[in-house]
Amino acid sequence: MSTGGSSTTAILAALAANAGITLAKFVGAALTGSSSMLAEAMHSLADTANEGLLLLGKRRAAHPPDAVHQFGYGRNRYFYSFVVALVLFTMGSLFAIDEGITKIRRPEELSSPVVAIAILLIAMVLETFSLLTARRESQPLKGRGSWWQFIRTSRNPELPVVLLEDSGALVGLAFAFTGVGLTVLTGDPRWDGVGTLAIGILLGAIAVILIVEMKSLLIGEGATPDEDRAIRANLVDGTHIDRVIHLRTEYLAPDELLIAAKVAIRPDLTINNLATAIDAAEARVRAAVPTANVIYLEPDLYRPNPEPA
């Protein structure tokens, strides 16, 4: 199943929402002096930049293979998603933590808090739209597992990034809303700083999760357990190919799985029958696992290990 169109739709929806939210939050921060609003503005600015990086990664990944990169440029999508995690951590988390600590130590009175609350409510609506779009586009890939399992196991880098960004944005908005609200109710502007600090910690946690997941994809992840079972089952036909001796897989890109396997064949096969059997096995695997674009099969005779004396 191709994931390119789904992730592009989710990225564009997030980009449109975040661009508008960023402008509104910066205006609100300037009018109110709220550190929570400023932290959320930086958060949305980072998210907007991140969507641009994800689109750039998809564009770079589309370059055809050449003599230097003979398996293509698909890992650009993993690289730029990793950069996104770093941007979210540096621009979003570290800035918000520093701003929150500063405002707790040296609190400043808010002006026009009603403006801040109105902007936060509008931002919540827009972020909800973006999150629902990402969820809809991710649903066919998620299957029956949980959303957390999808984020941890998906070989598509963009959709988990957008899902985590949008979910974090909504929680961050709730923190900002709470900080501003408590400041208005209690008259203590330090609550605004507390809300800002909470936003920074939240962004840091999301960034760390993304960094860990994208690092794993950059290094190279193999087929999922379900895909591995499907590959093994379809390589063996019981007539010409008896068993899989060993199997290695790795995702070269979200839509391109490399499969290398040594398979045991019947010893009486002719060259023509062997070629036909290998071609049929590749066709079965590609039908069962659509991302299996690159398959290398090595025929061999099965030699069980002799029993120890």
Side-chain angles (χ1 to χ4, degrees):
M1 179 185 296
S2 174
T3 61
S6 298
S7 56
T8 299
T9 301
I11 294 170
L12 290 174
L15 178 63
N18 284 319
I21 292 170
T22 300
L23 179 60
K25 286 178 180 176
F26 272 119
V27 171
L31 292 175
T32 64
S34 168
S35 65
S36 292
M37 181 67 73
L38 181 59
E40 272 299 301
M42 290 300 297
H43 177 186
S44 294
L45 179 62
D47 285 351
T48 304
N50 289 343
E51 266 73 70
L53 286 170
L54 292 177
L55 290 173
L56 178 61
K58 286 175 69 66
R59 181 176 179 181
R60 294 284 178 86
H63 289 181
D66 53 33
V68 177
H69 298 90
Q70 298 182 9
F71 286 106
Y73 289 81
R75 278 207 172 100
N76 268 312
R77 291 172 67 180
Y78 298 145
F79 171 75
Y80 281 94
S81 297
F82 183 78
V83 174
V84 162
L86 294 178
V87 170
L88 186 65
F89 184 76
T90 54
M91 284 186 61
S93 177
L94 296 183
F95 175 85
I97 290 173
D98 178 70
E99 185 71 13
I101 292 174
T102 299
K103 288 302 173 70
I104 292 173
R105 289 177 174 175
R106 296 189 293 275
E108 299 177 4
E109 296 295 330
L110 296 183
S111 58
S112 304
V114 175
V115 174
I117 291 174
I119 291 174
L120 290 173
L121 289 174
I122 293 172
M124 285 181 181
V125 173
L126 294 176
E127 288 289 3
T128 299
F129 162 76
S130 178
L131 177 60
L132 291 176
T133 301
R135 282 174 59 95
R136 184 181 69 247
E137 299 299 327
S138 303
Q139 190 66 52
L141 303 177
K142 183 180 81 73
R144 297 181 179 179
S146 66
W147 286 106
W148 178 245
Q149 288 174 325
F150 171 71
I151 291 171
R152 292 299 310 274
T153 61
S154 175
R155 303 313 191 247
N156 179 302
E158 295 93 3
L159 289 174
V161 168
V162 175
L163 283 168
L164 278 175
E165 277 187 356
D166 289 344
S167 300
L170 282 172
V171 177
L173 287 167
F175 286 157
F177 187 87
T178 302
V180 172
L182 288 174
T183 296
V184 173
L185 291 175
T186 65
D188 186 351
R190 285 177 295 183
W191 282 112
D192 186 42
V194 172
T196 307
L197 184 60
I199 292 169
I201 295 172
L202 169 70
L203 294 180
I206 292 174
V208 169
I209 293 171
L210 288 176
I211 288 170
V212 170
E213 292 304 316
M214 295 309 129
K215 172 178 174 288
S216 180
L217 289 171
L218 267 176
I219 293 173
E221 291 189 1
T224 65
D226 288 342
E227 290 170 339
D228 185 273
R229 285 189 290 270
I231 293 167
R232 292 178 182 274
N234 285 279
L235 283 175
V236 176
D237 63 5
T239 303
H240 302 98
I241 300 177
D242 294 328
R243 67 177 65 216
V244 176
I245 298 174
H246 65 69
L247 172 68
R248 298 290 185 272
T249 62
E250 184 172 311
Y251 267 92
L252 305 173
D255 301 323
E256 189 169 0
L257 177 64
L258 167 67
I259 297 173
K262 179 179 285 190
V263 294
I265 61 169
R266 288 181 51 183
D268 58 347
L269 288 181
T270 65
I271 293 297
N272 287 338
N273 287 339
L274 173 59
T276 300
I278 293 296
D279 290 342
E282 291 181 357
R284 290 193 301 271
V285 170
R286 288 192 173 97
V289 183
T291 56
N293 292 337
V294 184
I295 302 177
Y296 297 111
L297 298 182
E298 178 185 352
D300 201 351
L301 298 178
Y302 178 65
R303 303 177 182 87
N305 295 326
E307 293 294 330

